[in-house]
């Protein structure tokens, strides 16, 4: 199994370290030529969603990745990655991949100083640690979207088809269960 990690900006190195610790090979996607490598799934890391969206288009990665996502390639998206997958962004910002029928509010918990850590129930995994950094949350979900976790009544994790979108950063905590959940969904 080989997992591609979008390596344009943000917390991609931390995701790669987690995958390697789990014995999974990974490939960095930095330019269009990198898409030629064989990969089974994609990780969209945290960072700045507006910058990532612009770089995806400028580097000609957007169209081929959108096609693969729309065709069912498994995706794990964290923080900014959640925003990239959202069909709607509160406030009218243009969506990027628009592959998950949900409305996301970016920077919903405030600025960097509004970052926090919480342990909360996550689907069938029980309580998991969650680190939020300038995090979004999901305001509304559409048909077929499964809510995986809530914090303070707000949706912070969803699954839609083979896409898992998280408002938090599992790569910053030692718990491996979310990665294992995602890896087990790749067939």
């Amino acid at each position: 199994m080989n997992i591609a990690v979008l390596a344009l900006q943000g917390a991609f190195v931390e995701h790669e370290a987690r995958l390697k610790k789990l014995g999974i090979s990974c490939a960095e996607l930095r330019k269009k030529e990198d898409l030629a490598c064989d990969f089974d799934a994609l990780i969209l890391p945290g960072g700045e969603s507006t910058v990532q969206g612009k770089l995806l288009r400028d580097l000609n990665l957007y169209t081929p990745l959108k096609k693969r996502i729309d065709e069912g390639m498994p995706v794990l998206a964290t923080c900014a990655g959640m925003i990239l997958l959202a069909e709607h962004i509160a406030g009218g910002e243009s969506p990027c991949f628009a592959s998950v029928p949900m409305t996301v509010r970016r920077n919903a918990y405030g600025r960097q100083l509004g970052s926090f850590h919480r342990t909360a129930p996550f689907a069938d995994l029980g309580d998991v640690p969650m680190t939020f950094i300038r995090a979004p949350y999901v305001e509304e979900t559409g048909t077929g979207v499964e809510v995986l976790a809530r914090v303070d009544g707000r949706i912070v994790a969803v699954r839609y088809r083979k896409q898992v979108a998280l408002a938090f950063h599992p790569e910053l905590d030692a718990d491996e269960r979310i990665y294992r959940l995602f890896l087990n969904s790749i067939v």
Side-chain angles (χ1 to χ4, degrees), residues 90-121:
E93 182 181 327
S94 295
C96 186
F97 291 118
S99 58
V100 178
M102 63 180 170
T103 301
V104 171
R105 177 161 302 278
R106 38 187 344 263
N107 297 330
Y109 293 100
R111 305 173 71 117
Q112 195 83 12
L113 294 175
S115 301
F116 64 98
H117 183 82
R118 196 68 57 82
T119 299

Side-chain angles (χ1 to χ4, degrees), residues 126-139:
D127 287 349
V128 298
M130 301 177 184
T131 299
F132 295 85
I133 303 171
R134 291 179 52 221
Y137 65 74
V138 178
E139 288 188 342

Side-chain angles (χ1 to χ4, degrees), residues 17-94:
R18 296 306 300 275
L19 290 171
K20 288 175 183 171
K21 185 177 177 193
L22 291 166
I24 305 297
S25 64
C26 54
E28 291 185 348
L29 299 182
R30 293 179 180 271
K31 55 191 182 300
K32 188 174 182 179
E33 294 77 24
D34 295 336
L35 295 171
C37 75
D38 186 33
F39 58 94
D40 304 295
L42 173 66
I43 292 182
L44 298 174
E48 174 47 55
S49 61
T50 306
V51 171
Q52 290 179 8
K54 180 181 181 336
L55 289 171
L56 280 162
R57 286 179 173 84
D58 289 352
L59 298 169
N60 298 312
L61 291 165
Y62 173 78
T63 300
L65 284 177
K66 172 131 177 75
K67 181 176 187 295
R68 287 187 183 190
I69 292 168
D70 289 346
E71 290 174 349
M73 180 178 60
V75 179
L76 175 63
T78 61
C79 200
M82 172 185 263
I83 297 166
L84 293 176
L85 292 183
E87 191 172 82
H88 303 285
I89 301 168
E93 182 181 327
S94 295

